[in-house]
């Protein structure tokens, strides 16, 4: 009702002033756009919106990855296909590891893999290495002029060396040099 003791009452079920007005439905989820290192990005779902520039932990390829939120879109319906989800906010220690520790380990991995490629005379050029945050996967981004380079031997050696899944990603199937990786402002 109205104010206490004012003697004015307001009906509880007041109809809308216009029959054409519909309440805006609430989003059922949010699509969170995430930027990872080297320009890689992905889309994830979460029950709440997350501010841009916040570091989060997301479901990765059979593990967890860390990235920065770069966009949020409300969803009013969700498709039936499987979508990866935001797991939680990253801790300051995890962000530091992502910015510093992983970068150093990726540099060591690059040096090792370039040596193995040269040793086995494999016709590819590796441009960068990228660990998934939980270190369960190490991706080497490469280019090649060869149609189907055989790098099975370095996959086995890489697994023995790094104790994680090794993924070779042809970052430009046409064989063009991809140039410098896209910088991410941490």
């Amino acid at each position: 009702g109205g104010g206490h003791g004012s003697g004015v009452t307001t009906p509880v079920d007041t109809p809308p002033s216009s029959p054409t007005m519909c309440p805006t439905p609430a989003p059922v989820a949010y699509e969170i756009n995430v930027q990872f290192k080297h320009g890689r990005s992905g889309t994830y779902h979460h029950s709440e919106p997350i501010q841009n520039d916040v570091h989060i932990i997301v479901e990765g390829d059979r593990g967890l990855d860390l990235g920065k939120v770069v966009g949020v879109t409300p969803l009013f319906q969700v498709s039936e296909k499987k979508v990866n989800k935001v797991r939680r906010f990253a801790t300051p220690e995890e962000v530091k590891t992502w910015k510093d520790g992983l970068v150093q380990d990726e540099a060591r991995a690059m040096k090792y893999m370039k040596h193995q490629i040269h040793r086995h005379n494999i016709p590819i050029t590796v441009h960068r290495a990228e660990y998934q945050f939980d270190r369960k996967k190490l991706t080497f981004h490469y280019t090649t002029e060869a149609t189907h380079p055989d790098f099975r031997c370095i996959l086995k050696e890489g697994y023995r060396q790094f104790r994680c899944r090794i993924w070779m990603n042809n970052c430009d199937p046409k064989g063009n040099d991809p140039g410098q990786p896209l910088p991410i402002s941490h």
Side-chain angles (χ1 to χ4, degrees), residues 100-117:
D100 302 329
L102 282 181
V103 171
Q104 293 171 6
D105 291 347
E106 289 164 346
R108 284 192 285 276
M110 276 288 294
K111 183 176 179 181
Y112 173 84
M113 192 55 76
K114 283 184 175 186
H115 174 73
Q116 295 303 319
I117 289 165

Side-chain angles (χ1 to χ4, degrees), residues 22-139:
C22 293
T24 304
V28 296
Y30 292 85
E31 184 176 87
I32 310 295
N33 297 313
V34 179
Q35 175 78 50
F36 301 99
K37 289 184 288 188
H38 307 300
R40 187 171 59 89
S41 63
T43 302
Y44 300 83
H45 285 185
H46 193 57
S47 59
E48 300 289 327
I50 301 175
Q51 288 184 323
N52 283 345
D53 299 323
V54 171
H55 291 90
I56 57 174
I57 302 289
V58 298
E59 294 176 349
D61 185 9
R62 300 181 205 167
L64 300 176
D65 215 345
L66 189 151
K68 185 171 79 170
V69 175
V70 294
V72 178
T73 306
L75 298 173
F76 296 97
Q77 61 183 15
V78 179
S79 73
E80 296 298 317
K81 72 177 188 168
K82 169 139 176 36
V83 292
N84 288 333
K85 294 181 173 53
V86 173
R87 289 289 188 93
R88 59 182 172 77
F89 292 103
T91 66
E93 295 81 20
E94 289 169 328
V95 174
K96 182 172 177 18
T97 297
W98 183 64
K99 290 179 182 178
D100 302 329
L102 282 181
V103 171
Q104 293 171 6
D105 291 347
E106 289 164 346
R108 284 192 285 276
M110 276 288 294
K111 183 176 179 181
Y112 173 84
M113 192 55 76
K114 283 184 175 186
H115 174 73
Q116 295 303 319
I117 289 165
H118 178 73
R119 193 178 123 215
H120 292 287
N121 198 28
I122 300 170
I124 65 175
T125 301
V126 174
H127 299 279
R128 58 190 169 271
E130 180 181 8
Y131 267 110
Q132 183 169 282
F133 181 70
D134 61 9
R135 297 177 193 253
K136 290 183 179 179
K137 178 181 172 183
L138 175 58
T139 302

